Amino acid sequence: LLGTVGSDAHSRPEYGRALATLKPFGDAASFLESLRIAGSIQRYSSWVVHFNSTTAKWSRKLGLRVRQSPGG
């Protein structure tokens, strides 16, 4: 199985913190080859992002903030 990179982003500052670096490809076979040898770039979010996530979670649990949707 080939893998990719991703982030568990919950706010705008967290988007794009994990990236896959691929060689150019033109078809499905060259895409798979590029994915096999791909590198990755990972940048950790600052403590401010984690503080905001924790604050938002507790605000929802305490009923201080209305959920955007039934699941989250």
Side-chain angles (χ1 to χ4, degrees):
L1 289 174
L2 295 174
T4 60
V5 299
S7 63
D8 185 22
H10 296 274
S11 63
R12 194 174 303 242
E14 295 174 284
Y15 300 155
R17 306 294 296 178
L19 305 167
T21 55
L22 300 168
K23 288 188 175 184
F25 54 88
D27 58 16
S30 61
F31 168 71
L32 292 174
E33 179 56 31
S34 183
L35 194 55
R36 278 187 195 89
I37 60 173
S40 65
I41 299 172
Q42 302 152 16
R43 297 172 291 181
Y44 292 103
S45 299
S46 75
W47 67 271
V48 175
V49 170
H50 301 291
F51 176 79
N52 288 341
S53 296
T54 301
T55 303
K57 177 177 68 174
W58 281 104
S59 293
R60 284 190 301 274
K61 285 185 178 189
L62 295 172
L64 303 174
R65 184 173 176 198
V66 179
R67 290 186 176 272
Q68 298 285 331
S69 64

